[in-house]
Amino acid sequence: MAKVKRAYFCKNCGYEAPKWLGRCPACGEWNTFTEEILARDTGSVPAAVAGKLPAVRPQRVGEIRGEERRRTGLGIAEVDRVLGGGAVPGSLILLGGEPGIGKSTLSLQIALAANGLRTLYVSGEESAEQIRMRAARLGIGNEECLVYPETRLENILSQIEEQKPDLVVIDSIQTVSTDTVDSSAGSVSQIRECAAALLRYAKATDTTIVIIGHITKDGIIAGPKILEHIVDVVLQFEGDGNYTYRILRGIKNRFGATFEIGVFEMLDDGLHGVENPSEILLSHYDEPLSGISVGAAVDGVRPYLIEVQALVSGAAYGTPQRSATGHDVRRMNMLLAVLEKRLGMKMFQKDVFLNFAGGFRVSDPGLDLAVVAAVVSSYFDRPIAEGSCFAGEIGLSGEVRPAPRSEQRIAEAARLGFRRIVVSGYLAANVRRPKGIEVLTVQHIGQLPRLLFAEE
Ligand code: TYD
Ligand code: MG
């Protein structure tokens, strides 16, 4: 008899266990486990050998016929950029993000954009009236946009069949449910069933479907991670609620690179694409201030310049305070330890605060040099020479290593009119150094302080 593989899932958080548990070890909820069938095991004999020949046969890769997949622009430049030049018809796109970050706004803007696509905007979270009010605020460029407040999958699918839209937005997958599954909307099996049904529809009819998924604070798409495996493209919308900037990040893309990011600003009339992120991440001061440096960063493949602020002050208590906004505190502590050990700076007596402009979260090790420059500048209370920026990674022995994509960083700094950029002395000789910008090199952080400050 064929064996059936089963697993138990926590309805609350999606945790998977091989046996039933009374209490979920991940989220601590009681009585949330349900049994689900994962796959039917037909034994070790492949289906083909057992008499059922597969419909598709292996082919030589060069002989596979098929036209280049055309892409359709969604009418918002930053979104198309992240998708790699537009959406591929028939693809299922997951747009994830924390509540309130702007997923509904972005997807409604896509639906309303003048992209010539017949669009069905399905909302399980807002009424038609609420959507109309929001649409009026955003401006309607697409008269072909249909709004449909509904949560039952069967109804949604029959409307898709009737209306034959080119683009469908489902806001959100956690509110949609199908009659074939008993559990409530938002449960693991509901989400999985609905997403799988939408995927089949997207493929069969060449319709692009965007589904919105809520993400919990720790970055997990609430409910199942499984969703990420089903869909073709995963986009994540990020940002700090206290600031207006938002980043749209491609995490997975079956039809293109995943490294692109889109930058937006949330204003009263919706999200506006930011073509030059550097311009909003750099402040202009009348007088040079200490503790401020500029880092040449790269996020994915996109270079931008960002202001780094550090405040180093005498520690009032025995244990110095260390805090970083938008940056990994452990990385900062490592850099401070390197400064202490290699430059003899007395960091153990200092409180250190670090801040990146715009509420941006950065994890680019190429910003190490800029962080250290800001800390050194604040420590000695001397401003960094005007027009300088930094790109380099710092190792434990204080060596400065080339940052990935250094060429792009240098080019971006030159484009924005920076007069000099400090990079690693180990940078390959063939890296292009554009005219108009002085490229200074350091091999060890010990050589950094003398390059930092203007001659007096
Ligand atoms: P929303 O798209 O509802 O977030 P999500 O769907 O991810 O939960 O956006 C929520 C926030 O965006 C809300 O706090 C108000 C703000 N907002 C603006 O600032 N400007 C606008 O034009 C719109 C529509 C929303
Ligand atoms: Mg929403």
Side-chain angles (χ1 to χ4, degrees):
M1 206 184 81
K3 262 191 290 174
V4 176
K5 198 170 167 218
R6 293 167 196 277
Y8 294 82
F9 286 92
C10 168
K11 278 190 288 189
N12 189 51
C13 68
Y15 182 83
E16 183 183 338
K19 59 180 175 31
W20 190 87
L21 298 171
R23 184 172 192 241
C24 175
C27 66
E29 287 293 314
W30 290 93
N31 212 11
T32 53
F33 275 83
T34 48
E35 182 185 302
E36 290 182 19
I37 295 169
L38 283 182
R40 275 172 220 281
D41 187 358
T42 50
S44 56
V45 186
V49 181
K52 282 178 249 151
L53 277 175
V56 185
R57 298 186 59 85
Q59 288 173 275
R60 285 202 182 80
V61 63
E63 291 169 4
I64 301 172
R65 257 186 292 267
E67 59 205 293
E68 184 65 25
R69 280 289 201 159
R70 74 208 140 83
R71 291 176 184 271
T72 34
L74 295 182
I76 296 182
E78 293 291 304
V79 175
D80 288 339
R81 170 206 282 266
V82 179
L83 290 173
V88 173
S91 58
L92 187 63
I93 300 169
L94 172 65
L95 173 62
E98 285 175 14
I101 207 73
K103 301 180 297 296
S104 301
T105 307
L106 182 65
S107 52
L108 186 59
Q109 271 183 259
I110 294 172
L112 295 172
N115 49 21
L117 301 176
R118 191 173 161 78
T119 306
L120 182 66
Y121 184 88
V122 183
S123 179
E125 304 199 336
E126 282 148 346
S127 66
E129 173 61 16
Q130 279 173 306
I131 297 167
R132 187 195 61 82
M133 272 158 46
R134 189 179 290 202
R137 209 161 138 183
L138 301 173
I140 302 168
N142 185 358
E143 296 295 335
E144 289 292 296
C145 175
L146 299 165
V147 170
Y148 184 40
E150 179 58 70
T151 56
R152 189 169 166 261
L153 182 73
E154 284 73 15
N155 293 352
I156 296 171
L157 292 178
S158 74
Q159 280 306 317
I160 297 177
E161 214 158 7
E162 194 181 318
Q163 304 292 345
K164 300 205 173 12
D166 308 307
L167 175 69
V168 179
V169 176
I170 310 276
D171 185 6
S172 64
I173 190 72
Q174 274 96 353
T175 60
V176 177
S177 63
T178 164
D179 297 345
T180 58
V181 177
D182 280 339
S183 51
S184 57
S187 64
V188 180
S189 35
Q190 279 287 5
I191 290 177
R192 194 157 64 169
E193 269 315 301
C194 295
L198 289 166
L199 180 73
R200 282 194 297 273
Y201 244 85
K203 298 289 173 234
T205 58
D206 249 3
T207 311
T208 304
I209 302 184
V210 177
I211 54 181
I212 293 179
H214 293 296
I215 283 184
T216 53
K217 277 279 171 217
D218 33 358
I220 302 168
I221 294 189
K225 254 304 204 199
I226 313 162
L227 210 49
E228 294 193 14
H229 299 291
I230 297 176
V231 301
D232 298 308
V233 180
V234 180
L235 303 178
Q236 187 157 312
F237 210 32
E238 308 171 348
D240 182 329
N242 297 321
Y243 294 88
T244 56
Y245 306 116
R246 303 282 181 267
I247 293 185
L248 185 67
R249 198 182 289 283
I251 294 185
K252 162 181 173 180
N253 192 348
R254 286 194 182 139
F255 309 108
T258 49
F259 305 118
E260 269 296 354
I261 60 162
V263 183
F264 294 90
E265 193 172 5
M266 176 71 99
L267 299 177
D268 280 346
D269 56 347
L271 291 153
H272 292 251
V274 176
E275 221 168 286
N276 273 319
S278 311
E279 278 157 25
I280 55 173
L281 295 175
L282 297 177
S283 321
H284 298 280
Y285 301 100
D286 294 340
E287 254 176 73
L289 301 171
S290 73
I292 293 179
S293 74
V294 174
V298 166
D299 193 327
V301 291
R302 192 151 175 193
Y304 62 93
L305 273 81
I306 186 165
E307 185 183 294
V308 186
Q309 294 193 347
L311 177 67
V312 179
S313 66
Y317 307 101
T319 322
Q321 289 189 65
R322 301 281 157 88
S323 118
T325 312
H327 192 256
D328 183 7
V329 180
R330 277 172 305 177
R331 183 101 198 157
M332 175 177 87
N333 281 333
M334 185 279 271
L335 295 173
L336 297 178
V338 170
L339 283 180
E340 172 124 27
K341 180 100 179 165
R342 310 290 166 196
L343 289 186
M345 289 165 64
K346 299 197 172 54
M347 303 311 302
F348 63 91
Q349 300 172 343
K350 303 289 185 189
D351 288 343
V352 181
F353 304 95
L354 188 70
N355 196 355
F356 283 81
F360 260 46
R361 240 179 307 168
V362 292
S363 55
D364 176 8
L367 283 172
D368 287 352
L369 206 53
V371 169
V372 165
V375 169
V376 171
S377 161
S378 179
Y379 185 94
F380 293 110
D381 201 16
R382 290 179 67 185
I384 292 173
E386 260 189 292
S388 311
C389 63
F390 304 86
E393 197 180 323
I394 292 172
L396 291 182
S397 54
E399 80 278 17
V400 179
R401 293 194 293 249
R405 299 181 189 274
S406 283
E407 195 166 287
Q408 273 166 278
R409 298 176 199 250
I410 299 172
E412 177 72 1
R415 192 179 71 81
L416 287 162
F418 278 81
R419 264 174 273 146
R420 36 191 220 149
I421 181 165
V422 183
V423 298
S424 164
Y426 299 105
L427 200 61
N430 60 1
V431 165
R432 261 190 305 129
R433 293 162 163 84
K435 276 196 213 83
I437 187 163
E438 191 186 355
V439 180
L440 303 172
T441 58
V442 283
Q443 293 180 320
H444 191 271
I445 50 163
Q447 302 161 339
L448 184 66
R450 69 182 164 78
L451 292 180
L452 282 185
F453 308 118
E455 303 297 326
E456 276 170 7

